[in-house]
Amino acid sequence: MTAGTLTRVVGALAEATGLGGVALHELVRVGDAALLGEVLRVSGDVATLQVFEETTGLRVGEPVVREQLPLAIELGPGLLGQVIDGIGRPLGRLAVLSGTFIQPGAAPPTLDRDARFAFEPARAVGDLVEAGDVLGTVADRGGFPFKLLVPPGRSGIVRHVRAGDVGLLDPVVTLDAGDPITLLQRWPVRRPRPAGARVAADRPFLTGQRIFDFLFPVAEGGTVAVPGGFGTGKTVIEQALAKFGDADVVVYVGCGERGNEMAEVLHEFARLVDPRAGRSVMDRTVLVVNTSNMPVAARESSVYVGLTVAEFFRDMGYRVAVMADSLSRWAEALREVGSRLQEMPGEEGYPTSLASRAAKLHERAGRVRCLGRPERHGSITLISAVSPPGGDFSEPVTQACLRVTSALWALDAALAHQRQFPAVDWSTSYSLDAQAMVEYLDQQVEPRWSAARARALDLLQRDAELREVASVVGPDALEDKDRLLLAAAAALREFVLGQSAFDPNDAFSPPAKTFVLAEAALALFERGAAALAAGRSFADLPIDAVRRALAGLRDAAADGLDESRKAVHEALAALSAPGVAEGGDA
Amino acid sequence: MSLARTYRGARAAAGPLVYLSGVQRAALGEWVSVESPGQPPLRGQVIDAGRDVTVVQVLEETLGLAPASVRITLTGDLASAVVGRDLLGRALGGVGTPRDGLPPPIGEAIAPLWGAPINPTRRLPPRDFIETGISAIDGLNTLVRGQKLPVFSGPGLPALELAATIVEHARAPRDEPFAVVFVAIGITERETRTFLERFQHGGALERSVLYLNQAQDPTIERLLAPRAALAEAEHLAFVHGLQVLVVMADITHYCEALREVAAAREEVPGRRGYPGYMYTDLASIFERAGVIEGSPGSVTQLPILTMPDDDITHPIPDLTGYITEGQVVLSRELQRRGVFPPIDVLPSLSRLMNAGIGAAHTVPEHRKWADQLYTIYARGREARMMVAIVGESGLMPADRRALAFAEAFERTLVGQGAERRSLADTIEAGWRLLDRLPPEDLLKLTPAMLAGREQQRRAAAEDRS
């Protein structure tokens, strides 16, 4: 192994000489503590490195050793339920080894070498197999069926199969050529894993969040940008989707975010049960965590580590959802490294390659036909939070993401200040998949879904116009039917689009509940309008009774849904019934 | 073995920076001593270690420094600070030199200023309620142990008074051992005094460590003062199990010192000239708060920052808001109207509130109570704007009620004056405001809450009669 010499250390960057023949993006071990680094630039004998660990204390003159590999991550059973950092170090076992505070230097491997699994072969000796073929399964965390695949680029005739008890490094399947296939595989994180052709996304990624499922549904395999200033609830949304989104595997990338938040995620996910699969949410989750005070270079790599893990499960044929919180921190890490490299800055100091890197990153999402047999589809849905400075969406990171994502869920500070959560601005948000997805929902959930959505969007649009008028002339000067419209839209905003992530009954809204609530808010408007036409005045309409019934339905526990639903119907019926005194002595 | 190396003459000097050439084995973050003939030595730190050129950032005033004649010693040690329980009651300079005329503290350990990040898997989610005695915080933006909750202030707004009030009131919520670490970063003598005078009585000073880098002190030292203070805070919290509250004022001065160094290095400037790594740099301060497994202690941060021109989108409050767990925003309008503390609850937020409230921590249904107050207050503020256009008579009755509510809310619940309010009093004050409203305005409350309140009022009325 060639050893070079450290000639400069500044921030997360270092320079070394004497690394003859070193390649771009090759890994190196830097200094006496053997910190992990990566080659960013080679100029003559000088290599410029970004160091993934804390560089304070690195001395000029210390050795630098080539690893002759790009930055790669270990993949295999045991990843689910793990918390790893931006370079794949398992944070749980790291704490056992080096204590509460993260110390730079050697770390345990990502996957626990002591783990044992029972391998159930799907192929036999003599079979001809090719890349992507399912060789067999092991039961991963919580019984999750982990599929062992023929690694990309490999094929051959099966010569030996080891069924039953195996460790991560044991030869499980031996082909007639090449190394034996083990449960543990490695993949360079910056290179997308190969897959078959893309297939059309035909069904929505259901989130359990009404405003997304009802108004802006995104396809499985789609990409969403969720920009919002601080305090608008990006992280709460990302966490809600990680908890309640309909996916087989969730990869949560906490990129440059808060340590306390990650502690909350860890504790809460361990406790929560996935409403669909009935198992612990943590059993389906891989957390990639690089908090804002952890080294900046590893923040940049954390997104790629997360996507590589996602692709690994996608290749098995699973539906994977990736929450990236937040891509702004990823972009800022690029900017920080770029400016230290004295690169010519682009807009707002970001590297000029920002847009193309953002595009490449998002293109790793999608729904594909997986390689190999049996025939199967896998998908990666990518939901990226973006933190625009000052909440201004015209900034480069938001714009770079919007050009490549298929949906925008725009968060609005004004809504957040009104405590309207999720603070999604329905007038600027969109989903390019919406049309196809509501057709699916019409067929699979409720035939009137798309019609209700169109009515709701119309009501919200008229509400916005009317509120502008009301702010000039005063709401008292409005006609009754306009006041009814304002009241109905308020109910729609409050009880359908608004949803509490902290109320155990409301945090997850199955599609059926979403529809009933939406339909009721719309009926308040339509039936109320009919009552007004029949001669009742707005002041006589029992609006508050309907609102109370809606609140009851929204907050009802699963076993109380039917009863609350009945109460809503009764309250709505009273709208059209003439002259009914609604429990009032007035 | 000492690794100290001494060199004569620097290649160049510019502002706070000294450029050396031919230095052997310089380490990033290494402590440096810069001596000019006939002057006391200046302290510095290596910020760019190179075989050809090494850059030292000098913490003190470089006035009169002649590059050709300086004597520079690289000490071999990394920047570090003495930490220990014996620092309690002391007043120190930005990097730990005594400012109270006493000998330097001996301490219990030497901690690196650049604190290692806490492993996220070893953090415990913060959820212990801290009663600050301030209604707008306890009731509506609850602070919990291990949180970092900054005060966004404006020039002339009483942020330090608010911080002093919190320190004064929040001590020993459950008689657990506590400590206060106060860091003055570039604030004036007068501001420092304002703060200290408030919590001096009651012997609080014996439980405090003061790190003072005031306006007249060297600018670059401001970059190290909060780190020295946090090293001490971590020691007190995680070695001695104390509940430590760290008050840092003013983060805006810190950021300006950061910009000064970046400019001296001719780095590519980011927004408004602040360096592109300011987010990372601020995070390395703010993230040093929390609660960890295996220790009863906690580090809670109350940083204060001044929003230039009251602009919340300025890079300093903006980046801070992205890192901290909420913010308490002071309002000039409330200040003008004589409301103390002038906290505008609408843009204020405590992200960790939900974990620290409810039956287990404060009162049952705390969230719904707060949401109800918020909703009507927000409506009242909207109505206030509308009144300017359509007049009060053009409002709907519910808006008129909200308008009156907003007035009362600001005067009584927020504007509590100097008195300390227990949580129970805060909750009661909120209920008194809600009592005036008809049930159709109170849809955030459950029927059970309304019934409970009704019963409580009846019982109170019977008691009186």
Side-chain angles (χ1 to χ4, degrees):
Chain A
M1 204 72 72
T2 338
T5 309
L6 205 54
T7 55
R8 189 174 177 211
V9 191
V10 53
L13 286 193
E15 283 174 9
T17 55
L19 298 172
V22 74
L24 285 181
H25 287 294
E26 183 174 329
L27 282 189
V28 286
R29 289 286 175 182
V30 183
D32 294 334
L35 310 183
L36 200 63
E38 185 185 35
V39 176
L40 289 186
R41 185 187 276 174
V42 183
S43 167
D45 191 38
V46 181
T48 306
L49 323 166
Q50 68 171 345
V51 184
F52 293 115
E53 302 179 61
E54 180 57 51
T55 51
T56 302
L58 268 183
R59 254 175 217 290
V60 171
E62 289 185 15
V64 177
V65 180
R66 286 181 59 184
E67 289 268 289
Q68 306 194 315
L69 284 167
L71 179 62
I73 179 173
E74 290 185 0
L75 300 164
L79 264 180
L80 291 175
Q82 279 267 14
V83 186
I84 57 181
D85 74 358
I87 46 175
R89 294 186 294 182
L91 288 173
R93 276 182 296 128
L94 188 68
V96 174
L97 207 75
S98 67
T100 297
F101 293 88
I102 297 177
Q103 302 301 333
T110 307
L111 296 176
D112 185 359
R113 296 291 185 270
D114 296 335
R116 309 293 301 181
F117 299 92
F119 181 65
E120 280 178 46
R123 306 300 290 262
V125 171
D127 284 358
L128 175 66
V129 294
E130 54 189 50
D133 280 4
V134 178
L135 291 170
T137 53
V138 301
D140 200 347
R141 188 183 164 113
F144 182 90
F146 174 96
K147 298 176 190 167
L148 178 66
L149 310 182
V150 177
R154 298 282 306 274
S155 62
I157 296 164
V158 177
R159 286 289 179 229
H160 185 259
V161 176
R162 177 168 166 180
D165 181 56
V166 288
L168 280 174
L169 297 175
D170 293 335
V172 179
V173 174
T174 310
L175 304 185
D176 57 348
D179 295 334
I181 296 168
T182 57
L183 288 176
L184 184 143
Q185 301 182 359
R186 291 177 68 84
W187 190 263
V189 300
R190 296 187 194 280
R191 190 173 306 156
R193 284 174 64 88
R198 280 173 182 266
V199 290
D202 61 349
R203 56 187 260 186
F205 167 64
L206 285 174
T207 62
Q209 310 300 305
R210 287 186 289 270
I211 188 160
F212 305 135
D213 292 346
F214 183 52
L215 292 186
F216 309 109
V218 59
E220 228 169 62
T223 52
V224 190
V226 190
F230 67 81
T232 51
K234 290 180 299 296
T235 296
V236 175
I237 288 175
E238 291 277 18
Q239 289 184 10
L241 299 192
K243 287 185 271 193
F244 303 118
D246 185 13
D248 300 317
V249 173
V250 171
V251 180
Y252 192 99
V253 186
C255 172
E257 291 293 311
R258 304 175 181 90
N260 280 334
E261 245 159 42
M262 295 326 297
E264 187 64 48
V265 165
L266 282 175
H267 279 76
E268 209 186 337
F269 282 22
R271 201 170 45 78
L272 265 178
V273 173
D274 174 1
R276 295 184 193 83
R279 57 200 176 100
S280 160
V281 166
M282 203 60 203
D283 287 351
R284 66 170 199 179
T285 307
V286 181
L287 287 164
V288 184
V289 173
N290 226 81
T291 56
S292 55
N293 58 337
M294 286 159 77
V296 66
R299 192 187 307 162
E300 188 258 341
S301 58
S302 64
V303 176
Y304 299 101
V305 165
L307 283 168
T308 306
V309 170
E311 286 170 345
F312 182 64
F313 285 104
R314 172 205 66 190
D315 291 346
M316 296 178 203
Y318 289 119
R319 301 170 306 135
V320 186
V322 179
M323 310 300 151
D325 185 15
S326 109
L327 279 194
S328 292
R329 308 298 164 228
W330 164 83
E332 281 163 13
L334 286 178
R335 175 168 71 180
E336 208 168 316
V337 171
S339 92
R340 297 256 194 219
L341 282 172
Q342 311 246 298
E343 278 176 6
M344 180 69 84
E347 216 178 332
E348 297 207 11
Y350 288 104
T352 46
S353 57
L354 174 69
S356 64
R357 290 198 214 201
K360 271 185 202 147
L361 189 155
H362 282 95
E363 285 301 288
R364 290 177 78 166
R367 187 159 181 266
V368 298
R369 187 177 55 72
C370 302
L371 294 180
R373 292 157 296 174
E375 178 112 348
R376 61 201 184 273
H377 290 157
S379 67
I380 296 177
T381 310
L382 175 59
I383 319 280
S384 313
V386 181
S387 322
D392 172 11
F393 291 1
S394 68
E395 60 93 34
V397 184
T398 310
Q399 290 302 315
C401 289
L402 285 184
R403 285 208 291 276
V404 287
T405 51
S406 54
L408 163 68
W409 296 342
L411 303 186
D412 181 49
L415 291 174
H417 290 170
Q418 293 159 26
R419 297 302 191 262
Q420 165 85 31
F421 286 114
V424 177
D425 181 351
W426 43 85
S427 62
T428 51
S429 298
Y430 62 82
S431 165
L432 300 179
D433 306 322
Q435 199 46 48
M437 293 309 118
V438 292
E439 279 166 20
Y440 173 93
L441 289 161
D442 278 351
Q443 282 157 23
Q444 301 293 326
V445 179
E446 164 58 52
R448 291 171 297 160
W449 190 287
S450 59
R453 174 176 183 268
R455 281 151 64 211
L457 285 172
D458 180 56
L459 181 63
L460 289 169
Q461 178 60 40
R462 290 165 64 186
D463 172 55
E465 289 161 10
L466 211 47
R467 276 197 287 166
E468 221 156 88
V469 174
S471 71
V472 179
V473 302
D476 234 20
L478 294 179
E479 287 176 41
D480 271 9
K481 68 174 180 20
D482 290 339
R483 291 171 66 181
L484 171 70
L485 190 146
L486 288 181
L492 182 70
R493 285 184 271 130
E494 192 170 341
F495 303 112
V496 184
L497 307 185
Q499 189 171 356
S500 166
F502 303 104
D503 182 327
N505 292 334
D506 194 29
F508 170 69
S509 184
K513 178 178 172 182
T514 297
F515 181 78
V516 172
L517 272 171
E519 185 57 42
L522 293 166
L524 170 62
F525 178 54
E526 282 144 17
R527 291 208 205 169
L532 292 181
R536 287 184 83 179
S537 78
F538 175 72
D540 288 341
L541 294 181
I543 304 278
D544 288 329
V546 178
R547 286 175 59 89
R548 215 165 295 131
L550 280 170
L553 176 57
R554 179 193 61 188
D555 299 338
D559 55 3
L561 275 181
D562 282 341
E563 203 175 310
S564 313
R565 208 164 154 167
K566 231 166 64 199
V568 170
H569 284 302
E570 280 164 17
L572 285 172
L575 271 181
S576 14
V580 175
E582 259 292 312
D585 35 62
Chain B
M1 181 193 72
S2 172
L3 286 164
R5 294 90 69 211
T6 300
Y7 300 91
R8 269 182 201 286
R11 184 165 130 170
L17 304 181
V18 174
Y19 295 79
L20 312 175
S21 50
V23 170
Q24 297 293 309
R25 294 182 65 80
L28 192 66
E30 189 168 353
W31 245 169
V32 180
S33 166
V34 181
E35 286 172 75
S36 292
Q39 286 182 27
L42 309 175
R43 288 151 313 148
Q45 197 186 13
V46 172
I47 55 170
D48 184 344
R51 192 177 53 182
D52 304 326
V53 178
T54 290
V55 185
V56 174
Q57 157 183 294
V58 180
L59 304 183
E60 284 127 322
E61 186 53 65
T62 50
L63 188 91
L65 184 145
S69 59
V70 290
R71 224 171 87 99
I72 290 172
T73 306
L74 282 81
T75 61
D77 299 321
L78 296 181
S80 55
V82 167
V83 295
R85 238 190 138 124
D86 57 329
L87 270 63
L88 287 170
R90 299 295 307 270
L92 307 166
V95 281
T97 42
R99 291 286 289 267
D100 47 11
L102 298 172
I106 297 162
E108 297 159 341
I110 306 268
L113 290 186
W114 235 261
I118 298 175
N119 187 319
T121 61
R122 278 293 171 92
R123 282 183 184 266
L124 295 176
R127 46 190 45 155
D128 281 327
F129 167 65
I130 299 179
E131 192 180 271
T132 64
I134 305 221
S135 293
I137 296 178
D138 293 348
L140 296 160
N141 294 289
T142 315
L143 175 69
V144 299
R145 277 184 191 160
Q147 185 173 9
K148 38 196 181 291
L149 187 66
V151 179
F152 285 12
S153 180
L157 294 181
L160 274 164
E161 284 88 335
L162 175 64
T165 310
I166 292 173
V167 168
E168 201 175 8
H169 293 157
R171 56 181 190 244
R174 267 179 251 150
D175 286 332
E176 287 140 313
F178 78 98
V180 176
V181 174
F182 175 71
V183 204
I185 310 166
I187 59 175
T188 60
E189 183 78 44
R190 177 202 173 96
E191 287 173 301
T192 309
R193 226 177 27 240
T194 310
F195 181 80
L196 293 183
E197 273 170 7
R198 279 296 299 279
F199 84 105
Q200 246 161 5
H201 38 251
L205 221 45
E206 289 156 33
R207 297 180 165 198
S208 323
V209 192
L210 313 177
Y211 288 85
L212 304 175
N213 170 290
Q214 289 165 301
Q216 75 272 21
D217 293 328
T219 315
I220 308 306
E221 203 189 68
R222 286 173 199 158
L223 299 176
L224 298 192
R227 298 193 160 85
L230 285 163
E232 168 70 4
E234 283 169 348
H235 182 83
L236 293 174
F238 304 137
V239 175
H240 293 291
L242 304 183
Q243 311 301 330
V244 185
L245 186 61
V246 183
V247 178
M248 297 186 275
D250 183 316
I251 294 297
T252 303
H253 298 307
Y254 174 88
C255 293
E256 275 158 6
L258 200 65
R259 179 167 67 174
E260 204 173 314
V261 173
R265 301 204 60 203
E266 300 180 4
E267 290 174 19
V268 180
R271 270 206 307 155
R272 301 220 187 173
Y274 293 96
Y277 49 79
M278 193 155 89
Y279 177 85
T280 306
D281 192 280
L282 284 175
S284 73
I285 292 175
F286 295 143
E287 273 295 317
R288 291 172 81 173
V291 187
I292 60 171
E293 257 172 58
S295 166
S298 62
V299 176
T300 308
Q301 287 187 17
L302 208 62
I304 292 168
L305 64 84
T306 304
M307 299 182 281
D309 198 25
D310 294 353
D311 177 9
I312 201 168
T313 66
H314 185 281
I316 297 171
D318 192 51
L319 293 181
T320 299
Y322 276 120
I323 304 165
T324 54
E325 282 129 1
Q327 65 276 340
V328 173
V329 182
L330 302 189
S331 147
R332 198 164 295 279
E333 194 195 324
L334 290 176
Q335 160 85 351
R336 270 193 215 113
R337 302 204 337 239
V339 173
F340 183 86
I343 298 175
D344 185 352
V345 299
L346 292 188
S348 297
L349 169 75
S350 165
R351 292 168 188 271
L352 302 183
M353 174 171 181
N354 289 313
I357 59 171
H361 305 278
T362 55
V363 291
E365 307 287 17
H366 189 151
R367 180 79 259 170
K368 290 203 164 79
W369 172 92
D371 282 347
Q372 185 62 76
L373 289 170
Y374 256 118
T375 311
I376 306 175
Y377 179 58
R379 185 166 185 179
R381 287 268 296 259
E382 242 173 72
R384 196 180 280 166
M385 275 191 288
M386 226 185 280
V387 166
I389 305 169
V390 300
E392 198 166 336
S393 56
L395 295 181
M396 287 198 287
D399 284 329
R400 270 201 292 273
R401 289 195 295 270
L403 187 68
F405 174 91
E407 286 297 322
F409 177 87
E410 288 168 358
R411 294 255 163 249
T412 63
L413 191 84
V414 177
Q416 65 188 87
E419 81 171 294
R420 180 186 200 287
R421 270 212 200 122
S422 69
L423 176 74
D425 289 346
T426 292
I427 299 286
E428 175 62 25
W431 271 114
R432 289 222 174 119
L433 292 170
L434 297 175
D435 286 344
R436 308 176 184 180
L437 298 170
E440 67 255 35
D441 287 0
L442 304 176
L443 290 170
K444 297 267 180 196
L445 305 179
T446 62
M449 287 171 79
L450 286 169
R453 176 64 186 169
E454 191 51 45
Q455 205 174 5
Q456 196 187 355
R457 291 176 73 186
R458 263 204 305 272
E462 272 164 32
D463 276 357
R464 273 196 299 275
S465 61

